[in-house]
Amino acid sequence: MPRDLPLNSLGLPKPPSQTRVVVAMSGGVDSSVVAAQLAEEGYDVVGVTLQLYDHGAALAKKGACCAGRDIHDARRVAETMGFPHYVLDYENTFREAVIEEFADAYLAGATPVPCIRCNERVKFKDLLATAKDLEADCMATGHYIQRKMGVLGAELHQAADPARDQSYFLFSTTPEQLDYLRFPLGHLASKAETRALAAKYGLPVADKPDSQDICFVPNGNYAAVIEKLRPGAADPGEIVDLDGRVLGGHRGVIHYTVGQRKGLGIGGLEEPLYVVKLDPVLRRVIVGPKEALSTRIVPLKEINWLGDAPFTSQETWHLDVKVRSTRPPRGAIVRPTGPTTAEVELIAPEDGVSAGQACVFYAPEGGRVFGGGWIWKG
């Protein structure tokens, strides 16, 4: 690739008309705007939508990511803007790489984040490989996150709009993937700007509501999905306190999450109780006072590191971390215990830290993402 040409808007030294971009299109407004904007700029755009599960199955719901309606909407956007659009059947891959693990994790008492696994194992792996097979120069998505060039190469940074930032769900993006990926919406100040662009391009999805749930979980009902995937998973059991005293019964461990307070069915107590642990082997839900949820030490595995120096080159890293997608980054000391494992000490304890969630690393200033790992039971 020639290096004496000026860089185009995607950072490549060639004219847009000679730059092929595969756009991952979910059928929503974000990825539709990315595809439309790049097409208007003259890029050789190829839209790709993944069929991730049977549209007629009970797991799918109207308006969910990649359900039948969304594929139709993505196709309409492609027709409006005049670029080719393909639907790829990734149903088996998605089930094996995402849904099965989701069900097993819940049965083991963890709280999984399937959207991260989907990005890691499907979109940024198989779909990215397909984009290269199509001889695309890069792949673009509608994620709200920024890719910036640093001294040593591409870096991952939080989105300009903190309310839309999706860095928590993209921490496992590798440096090699980051070289190839582009995130054209990450610099926008608000979602209103995205919808204004959709209206400008005359896109049929300009007013389409955002999807709020995990794509294969109708109405956020995790338990119903797991019962369908693992018949008998919702066997009843006991609710016990920290000393093992039985306080009541429950209708299945899969109906509870760490930190939950409402819906326990054990009223009449002097103080409110929270779910502090799940024991799927004994089918027990362990409850305790709010202070029992407080955690300072968090063990991590499967760490993906995006720093400039090797992860194990220092005994400690002073970073900000997120232990839930809905919480702001907070100060922590990260101590490597191996190439992909660590112990994180939170400067201020946090409630409801749960196995199966991600712990994402950030620079204390500037919004750069340094990767992260998966929380597990020590």
Side-chain angles (χ1 to χ4, degrees), residues 215-344:
C215 66
F216 60 91
V217 180
N219 303 315
N221 191 344
Y222 303 120
V225 173
I226 296 166
E227 286 186 77
K228 182 178 179 66
L229 293 167
R230 302 286 188 272
D235 292 338
E238 298 172 334
I239 298 178
V240 303
D241 65 14
L242 294 172
D243 295 322
R245 291 177 297 182
V246 177
L247 303 179
H250 66 74
R251 54 195 178 92
V253 171
I254 62 173
H255 293 280
Y256 301 85
T257 58
V258 172
Q260 180 178 335
R261 176 186 172 187
K262 296 181 179 179
L264 300 181
I266 50 173
L269 301 172
E270 293 183 0
E271 61 178 343
L273 295 179
Y274 300 77
V275 176
V276 298
K277 186 178 180 182
L278 300 172
D279 187 337
V281 176
L282 297 178
R283 299 202 305 277
R284 281 185 158 188
V285 174
I286 298 96
V287 298
K290 187 175 178 61
E291 55 264 27
L293 286 170
S294 184
T295 301
R296 284 288 296 268
I297 304 299
V298 183
L300 302 185
K301 62 180 180 179
E302 296 181 51
I303 287 174
N304 178 58
W305 179 246
L306 296 175
D308 295 333
F311 181 61
T312 53
S313 65
Q314 293 184 202
E315 292 185 359
T316 61
W317 291 91
H318 292 261
L319 301 168
D320 287 350
V321 303
K322 261 191 181 188
V323 294
R324 291 254 184 188
S325 63
T326 54
R327 298 181 184 177
R330 294 174 179 171
I333 300 171
V334 180
R335 297 184 176 92
T337 56
T340 59
T341 58
E343 179 184 85
V344 174

Side-chain angles (χ1 to χ4, degrees), residues 118-253:
C118 182
N119 290 327
E120 174 187 311
R121 297 176 174 177
V122 182
K123 293 177 182 175
F124 292 175
K125 183 182 178 184
D126 293 339
L127 178 55
L128 191 145
T130 297
K132 291 183 177 180
D133 289 341
L134 292 171
E135 299 183 342
D137 296 284
C138 61
M139 187 174 92
T141 79
H143 289 106
Y144 286 87
I145 194 167
Q146 298 187 80
R147 175 189 183 273
K148 298 182 179 181
M149 291 306 296
V151 176
L152 299 181
E155 300 173 352
L156 207 58
H157 288 251
Q158 290 177 283
D161 178 7
R164 305 297 304 181
D165 176 59
Q166 291 177 294
S167 58
Y168 183 86
F169 300 99
L170 296 169
F171 84 87
S172 61
T173 306
T174 67
E176 294 76 21
Q177 293 167 342
L178 195 53
D179 283 341
Y180 193 69
L181 290 165
R182 301 294 187 273
F183 308 106
L185 301 184
H187 69 285
L188 297 183
S190 70
K191 182 61 176 273
E193 288 190 41
T194 306
R195 293 198 180 277
L197 287 170
K200 170 188 171 183
Y201 300 132
L203 302 184
V205 296
D207 297 320
K208 186 175 181 177
D210 291 339
S211 177
Q212 299 296 324
D213 299 322
I214 295 170
C215 66
F216 60 91
V217 180
N219 303 315
N221 191 344
Y222 303 120
V225 173
I226 296 166
E227 286 186 77
K228 182 178 179 66
L229 293 167
R230 302 286 188 272
D235 292 338
E238 298 172 334
I239 298 178
V240 303
D241 65 14
L242 294 172
D243 295 322
R245 291 177 297 182
V246 177
L247 303 179
H250 66 74
R251 54 195 178 92
V253 171

